[in-house]
Amino acid sequence: MGKIKVGFGFDVHQLKENHPFVLGGVKLEHHAGAYGHSDADVLLHAICDALLGAANLRDIGFHFSNKDDRWKGISSLVLLQHVVALIKEKGFTIGNIDAMVCLEAPKINPHIPAMKTYIAEAAAISEEDISIKATTNEQMGFIGREEGVVAYAVCLIEKE
Ligand SMILES: [Zn+2]
């Protein structure tokens, strides 16, 4: 009987005017974008934290410090590749990933197929094993005021 483990991840970034908005590896056309040390891809960061958590490998800040210039402006798809290599070193493969993005605008549903393609390629898994969902915050709080964007992710990893 193999071993299965679950992991949970959360991330939040500020939205700034006239800043690029990268989400799930996709560059969104929008008047504002997520701000941070890397490309501030909130969805990929939540997924990375879920995978690291499942494998008991601490968190994304431990592996990719925001004080380390190696990660400044880097594509978070590269961080995801790195995380997948770490969990593979521990003998795990990814079962599935389920993620939720909370933001007011823009609508991301048209971009979800492309996000799944990028994530599947970076994590070397099937698009069928990646679920990405989106919701607004019903105009309430910092998400509702378009001051920030939040993502949550859970994943399952397994080993023989
Ligand atoms: Zn982040």
Side-chain angles (χ1 to χ4, degrees):
M1 183 67 189
K3 179 158 193 153
I4 62 169
K5 297 185 106 182
V6 296
F8 167 73
F10 163 83
D11 195 31
V12 57
H13 281 272
Q14 284 180 34
L15 288 172
K16 292 208 169 171
E17 284 295 326
N18 303 312
H19 197 273
F21 197 172
V22 183
L23 193 63
V26 174
K27 288 179 185 70
L28 301 174
E29 290 292 330
H30 197 51
H31 62 85
Y35 175 79
H37 185 69
S38 64
D39 62 0
D41 192 323
V42 72
L43 173 58
L44 291 188
H45 293 178
I47 290 172
C48 285
D49 253 348
L51 292 167
L52 289 170
N56 199 3
L57 285 167
R58 302 194 57 166
D59 59 34
I60 195 168
F62 175 79
H63 294 280
F64 311 108
S65 165
N66 61 12
K67 289 172 183 70
D68 188 334
D69 277 349
R70 276 184 300 166
W71 315 122
K72 196 170 177 359
I74 198 169
S75 166
S76 293
L77 288 166
V78 175
L79 305 188
L80 177 60
Q81 285 174 333
H82 197 87
V83 164
V84 171
L86 288 171
I87 68 163
K88 275 193 177 152
E89 268 173 39
K90 275 197 136 179
F92 288 102
T93 56
I94 298 169
N96 74 302
I97 294 166
D98 183 22
M100 171 73 88
V101 180
C102 307
L103 84 171
E104 218 60 37
K107 292 279 172 239
I108 68 159
N109 274 325
H111 303 289
I112 286 177
M115 294 177 187
K116 289 170 80 168
T117 300
Y118 283 126
I119 294 165
E121 195 183 309
I125 58 174
S126 164
E127 289 180 29
E128 186 55 36
D129 295 326
I130 303 164
S131 155
I132 301 170
K133 310 186 299 296
T135 184
T136 70
N137 214 42
E138 298 287 333
Q139 288 135 45
M140 294 180 290
F142 72 89
I143 298 169
R145 292 189 298 271
E146 298 185 46
E147 293 167 6
V149 54
V150 160
Y152 304 90
V154 294
C155 71
L156 183 144
I157 62 173
E158 51 200 339
K159 84 166 129 185
E160 285 304 312

mmCIF file of all heavy atoms in Angstrom, residues 1 4 7 13 22-23 27-28 40-41 44 65 67 83 86 89 91-92 96 99 103 115 117 127 129 145 157:
data_model
loop_
_atom_site.group_PDB
_atom_site.id
_atom_site.type_symbol
_atom_site.label_atom_id
_atom_site.label_comp_id
_atom_site.label_asym_id
_atom_site.label_seq_id
_atom_site.Cartn_x
_atom_site.Cartn_y
_atom_site.Cartn_z
ATOM 1 N N MET A 1 0.857 -1.203 0.000
ATOM 2 C CA MET A 1 0.000 0.000 0.000
ATOM 3 C C MET A 1 0.889 1.248 0.000
ATOM 4 O O MET A 1 1.784 1.362 0.829
ATOM 5 C CB MET A 1 -0.905 -0.049 1.251
ATOM 6 C CG MET A 1 -1.902 1.107 1.359
ATOM 7 S SD MET A 1 -3.172 1.082 0.085
ATOM 8 C CE MET A 1 -3.948 2.664 0.354
ATOM 9 N N ILE A 4 -0.256 8.327 0.774
ATOM 10 C CA ILE A 4 -0.754 9.567 0.179
ATOM 11 C C ILE A 4 -0.727 10.668 1.245
ATOM 12 O O ILE A 4 -0.912 10.402 2.427
ATOM 13 C CB ILE A 4 -2.177 9.431 -0.415
ATOM 14 C CG1 ILE A 4 -3.211 9.066 0.647
ATOM 15 C CG2 ILE A 4 -2.189 8.435 -1.557
ATOM 16 C CD1 ILE A 4 -4.640 9.191 0.130
ATOM 17 N N GLY A 7 -1.793 18.535 0.988
ATOM 18 C CA GLY A 7 -1.153 19.792 1.350
ATOM 19 C C GLY A 7 -2.082 20.954 1.059
ATOM 20 O O GLY A 7 -2.952 20.858 0.186
ATOM 21 N N HIS A 13 -1.238 38.833 -2.806
ATOM 22 C CA HIS A 13 -0.378 39.909 -3.293
ATOM 23 C C HIS A 13 -1.184 41.183 -3.478
ATOM 24 O O HIS A 13 -2.380 41.134 -3.759
ATOM 25 C CB HIS A 13 0.279 39.541 -4.639
ATOM 26 C CG HIS A 13 1.453 38.627 -4.472
ATOM 27 N ND1 HIS A 13 2.731 39.081 -4.266
ATOM 28 C CD2 HIS A 13 1.529 37.279 -4.458
ATOM 29 C CE1 HIS A 13 3.556 38.054 -4.143
ATOM 30 N NE2 HIS A 13 2.855 36.940 -4.251
ATOM 31 N N VAL A 22 0.644 38.610 -13.816
ATOM 32 C CA VAL A 22 0.895 37.230 -14.233
ATOM 33 C C VAL A 22 0.143 36.301 -13.291
ATOM 34 O O VAL A 22 0.299 36.377 -12.071
ATOM 35 C CB VAL A 22 2.408 36.899 -14.217
ATOM 36 C CG1 VAL A 22 2.651 35.486 -14.733
ATOM 37 C CG2 VAL A 22 3.182 37.914 -15.047
ATOM 38 N N LEU A 23 -0.693 35.457 -13.854
ATOM 39 C CA LEU A 23 -1.505 34.543 -13.050
ATOM 40 C C LEU A 23 -1.525 33.176 -13.717
ATOM 41 O O LEU A 23 -1.944 33.062 -14.880
ATOM 42 C CB LEU A 23 -2.925 35.113 -12.916
ATOM 43 C CG LEU A 23 -3.831 34.463 -11.874
ATOM 44 C CD1 LEU A 23 -3.312 34.626 -10.463
ATOM 45 C CD2 LEU A 23 -5.245 35.027 -11.976
ATOM 46 N N LYS A 27 0.012 36.073 -18.817
ATOM 47 C CA LYS A 27 0.048 37.531 -18.648
ATOM 48 C C LYS A 27 -1.333 38.088 -18.974
ATOM 49 O O LYS A 27 -1.765 38.055 -20.124
ATOM 50 C CB LYS A 27 1.113 38.145 -19.561
ATOM 51 C CG LYS A 27 2.525 37.843 -19.098
ATOM 52 C CD LYS A 27 3.587 38.448 -20.022
ATOM 53 C CE LYS A 27 4.976 38.013 -19.572
ATOM 54 N NZ LYS A 27 5.248 36.569 -19.812
ATOM 55 N N LEU A 28 -2.020 38.614 -17.958
ATOM 56 C CA LEU A 28 -3.375 39.131 -18.141
ATOM 57 C C LEU A 28 -3.324 40.588 -18.590
ATOM 58 O O LEU A 28 -2.476 41.348 -18.135
ATOM 59 C CB LEU A 28 -4.157 39.043 -16.826
ATOM 60 C CG LEU A 28 -4.308 37.647 -16.210
ATOM 61 C CD1 LEU A 28 -4.989 37.754 -14.842
ATOM 62 C CD2 LEU A 28 -5.104 36.722 -17.128
ATOM 63 N N ALA A 40 5.209 37.527 -8.840
ATOM 64 C CA ALA A 40 4.024 37.694 -7.979
ATOM 65 C C ALA A 40 2.826 36.888 -8.477
ATOM 66 O O ALA A 40 1.685 37.337 -8.392
ATOM 67 C CB ALA A 40 3.676 39.178 -7.836
ATOM 68 N N ASP A 41 3.106 35.683 -8.976
ATOM 69 C CA ASP A 41 2.032 34.821 -9.482
ATOM 70 C C ASP A 41 1.377 34.111 -8.294
ATOM 71 O O ASP A 41 1.832 33.068 -7.832
ATOM 72 C CB ASP A 41 2.611 33.801 -10.479
ATOM 73 C CG ASP A 41 1.545 33.078 -11.269
ATOM 74 O OD1 ASP A 41 0.482 32.779 -10.684
ATOM 75 O OD2 ASP A 41 1.782 32.805 -12.455
ATOM 76 N N LEU A 44 0.398 30.321 -8.632
ATOM 77 C CA LEU A 44 1.514 29.377 -8.583
ATOM 78 C C LEU A 44 2.138 29.319 -7.192
ATOM 79 O O LEU A 44 2.584 28.259 -6.755
ATOM 80 C CB LEU A 44 2.566 29.732 -9.638
ATOM 81 C CG LEU A 44 2.144 29.503 -11.089
ATOM 82 C CD1 LEU A 44 3.323 29.707 -12.020
ATOM 83 C CD2 LEU A 44 1.560 28.125 -11.302
ATOM 84 N N SER A 65 13.711 32.902 -0.826
ATOM 85 C CA SER A 65 13.639 34.108 -0.004
ATOM 86 C C SER A 65 13.461 35.355 -0.867
ATOM 87 O O SER A 65 14.082 35.490 -1.927
ATOM 88 C CB SER A 65 14.924 34.241 0.810
ATOM 89 O OG SER A 65 15.014 35.546 1.338
ATOM 90 N N LYS A 67 14.648 38.022 -0.195
ATOM 91 C CA LYS A 67 15.875 38.814 -0.073
ATOM 92 C C LYS A 67 16.966 38.273 -0.994
ATOM 93 O O LYS A 67 18.074 38.804 -1.046
ATOM 94 C CB LYS A 67 16.361 38.810 1.386
ATOM 95 C CG LYS A 67 15.449 39.627 2.284
ATOM 96 C CD LYS A 67 15.789 39.489 3.760
ATOM 97 C CE LYS A 67 14.802 40.265 4.602
ATOM 98 N NZ LYS A 67 13.453 39.642 4.592
ATOM 99 N N VAL A 83 10.082 23.181 -7.065
ATOM 100 C CA VAL A 83 9.310 22.534 -5.992
ATOM 101 C C VAL A 83 8.985 21.083 -6.363
ATOM 102 O O VAL A 83 9.098 20.176 -5.537
ATOM 103 C CB VAL A 83 8.016 23.338 -5.708
ATOM 104 C CG1 VAL A 83 7.015 22.519 -4.901
ATOM 105 C CG2 VAL A 83 8.357 24.638 -4.978
ATOM 106 N N LEU A 86 11.882 18.969 -5.770
ATOM 107 C CA LEU A 86 12.089 18.701 -4.336
ATOM 108 C C LEU A 86 11.190 17.571 -3.843
ATOM 109 O O LEU A 86 11.631 16.693 -3.090
ATOM 110 C CB LEU A 86 11.813 19.974 -3.514
ATOM 111 C CG LEU A 86 12.839 21.093 -3.619
ATOM 112 C CD1 LEU A 86 12.313 22.354 -2.920
ATOM 113 C CD2 LEU A 86 14.160 20.680 -3.019
ATOM 114 N N GLU A 89 12.415 14.268 -5.123
ATOM 115 C CA GLU A 89 13.570 13.793 -4.348
ATOM 116 C C GLU A 89 13.137 13.000 -3.129
ATOM 117 O O GLU A 89 13.844 12.097 -2.674
ATOM 118 C CB GLU A 89 14.415 14.990 -3.860
ATOM 119 C CG GLU A 89 15.532 15.388 -4.792
ATOM 120 C CD GLU A 89 16.213 16.671 -4.321
ATOM 121 O OE1 GLU A 89 16.396 16.848 -3.091
ATOM 122 O OE2 GLU A 89 16.535 17.512 -5.187
ATOM 123 N N GLY A 91 10.577 11.154 -3.171
ATOM 124 C CA GLY A 91 9.917 9.943 -3.673
ATOM 125 C C GLY A 91 8.438 10.102 -3.999
ATOM 126 O O GLY A 91 7.744 9.129 -4.262
ATOM 127 N N PHE A 92 7.946 11.365 -4.002
ATOM 128 C CA PHE A 92 6.519 11.584 -4.244
ATOM 129 C C PHE A 92 6.226 11.979 -5.694
ATOM 130 O O PHE A 92 7.051 12.637 -6.352
ATOM 131 C CB PHE A 92 5.992 12.708 -3.347
ATOM 132 C CG PHE A 92 5.870 12.331 -1.898
ATOM 133 C CD1 PHE A 92 6.815 12.751 -0.981
ATOM 134 C CD2 PHE A 92 4.812 11.547 -1.454
ATOM 135 C CE1 PHE A 92 6.714 12.405 0.365
ATOM 136 C CE2 PHE A 92 4.702 11.194 -0.121
ATOM 137 C CZ PHE A 92 5.654 11.625 0.795
ATOM 138 N N ASN A 96 -3.133 15.120 -7.619
ATOM 139 C CA ASN A 96 -3.898 16.193 -8.248
ATOM 140 C C ASN A 96 -3.725 17.496 -7.472
ATOM 141 O O ASN A 96 -3.265 17.506 -6.327
ATOM 142 C CB ASN A 96 -5.384 15.842 -8.354
ATOM 143 C CG ASN A 96 -6.100 15.921 -7.014
ATOM 144 O OD1 ASN A 96 -5.721 15.237 -6.072
ATOM 145 N ND2 ASN A 96 -7.106 16.763 -6.920
ATOM 146 N N ALA A 99 -7.239 24.364 -7.095
ATOM 147 C CA ALA A 99 -6.916 25.730 -6.676
ATOM 148 C C ALA A 99 -8.094 26.675 -6.881
ATOM 149 O O ALA A 99 -8.967 26.437 -7.726
ATOM 150 C CB ALA A 99 -5.701 26.240 -7.447
ATOM 151 N N LEU A 103 -10.506 37.116 -6.901
ATOM 152 C CA LEU A 103 -10.227 38.477 -7.346
ATOM 153 C C LEU A 103 -11.466 39.058 -7.998
ATOM 154 O O LEU A 103 -12.334 38.331 -8.463
ATOM 155 C CB LEU A 103 -9.014 38.553 -8.278
ATOM 156 C CG LEU A 103 -9.172 38.269 -9.762
ATOM 157 C CD1 LEU A 103 -7.903 38.615 -10.500
ATOM 158 C CD2 LEU A 103 -9.562 36.836 -10.012
ATOM 159 N N MET A 115 -3.652 28.478 -18.409
ATOM 160 C CA MET A 115 -2.985 28.298 -17.102
ATOM 161 C C MET A 115 -2.740 26.815 -16.838
ATOM 162 O O MET A 115 -1.654 26.420 -16.385
ATOM 163 C CB MET A 115 -3.855 28.868 -15.969
ATOM 164 C CG MET A 115 -4.028 30.369 -16.007
ATOM 165 S SD MET A 115 -5.135 30.916 -14.674
ATOM 166 C CE MET A 115 -5.305 32.654 -15.119
ATOM 167 N N THR A 117 -2.405 24.449 -19.001
ATOM 168 C CA THR A 117 -1.354 23.970 -19.905
ATOM 169 C C THR A 117 0.028 24.306 -19.347
ATOM 170 O O THR A 117 0.919 23.451 -19.300
ATOM 171 C CB THR A 117 -1.532 24.597 -21.299
ATOM 172 O OG1 THR A 117 -2.820 24.223 -21.797
ATOM 173 C CG2 THR A 117 -0.453 24.125 -22.266
ATOM 174 N N GLU A 127 -3.076 17.775 -17.522
ATOM 175 C CA GLU A 127 -4.031 18.869 -17.268
ATOM 176 C C GLU A 127 -5.269 18.362 -16.538
ATOM 177 O O GLU A 127 -5.930 19.103 -15.815
ATOM 178 C CB GLU A 127 -4.443 19.525 -18.593
ATOM 179 C CG GLU A 127 -3.333 20.326 -19.215
ATOM 180 C CD GLU A 127 -3.761 20.964 -20.536
ATOM 181 O OE1 GLU A 127 -4.951 21.261 -20.716
ATOM 182 O OE2 GLU A 127 -2.883 21.146 -21.392
ATOM 183 N N ASP A 129 -5.342 16.538 -14.086
ATOM 184 C CA ASP A 129 -5.082 16.493 -12.644
ATOM 185 C C ASP A 129 -4.940 17.882 -12.040
ATOM 186 O O ASP A 129 -4.462 18.033 -10.908
ATOM 187 C CB ASP A 129 -3.826 15.656 -12.367
ATOM 188 C CG ASP A 129 -4.028 14.200 -12.760
ATOM 189 O OD1 ASP A 129 -5.168 13.703 -12.607
ATOM 190 O OD2 ASP A 129 -3.072 13.564 -13.234
ATOM 191 N N ARG A 145 -12.225 45.738 -3.227
ATOM 192 C CA ARG A 145 -11.750 47.071 -3.624
ATOM 193 C C ARG A 145 -10.622 46.993 -4.652
ATOM 194 O O ARG A 145 -10.045 48.014 -5.019
ATOM 195 C CB ARG A 145 -11.268 47.841 -2.387
ATOM 196 C CG ARG A 145 -12.388 48.231 -1.413
ATOM 197 C CD ARG A 145 -11.888 49.182 -0.309
ATOM 198 N NE ARG A 145 -10.864 48.583 0.526
ATOM 199 C CZ ARG A 145 -11.099 47.865 1.644
ATOM 200 N NH1 ARG A 145 -12.339 47.695 2.057
ATOM 201 N NH2 ARG A 145 -10.106 47.352 2.339
ATOM 202 N N ILE A 157 -0.327 14.231 -2.920
ATOM 203 C CA ILE A 157 0.884 13.615 -3.468
ATOM 204 C C ILE A 157 0.931 12.166 -2.978
ATOM 205 O O ILE A 157 0.322 11.835 -1.953
ATOM 206 C CB ILE A 157 2.170 14.383 -3.091
ATOM 207 C CG1 ILE A 157 2.396 14.421 -1.584
ATOM 208 C CG2 ILE A 157 2.160 15.789 -3.677
ATOM 209 C CD1 ILE A 157 3.748 15.021 -1.172
#
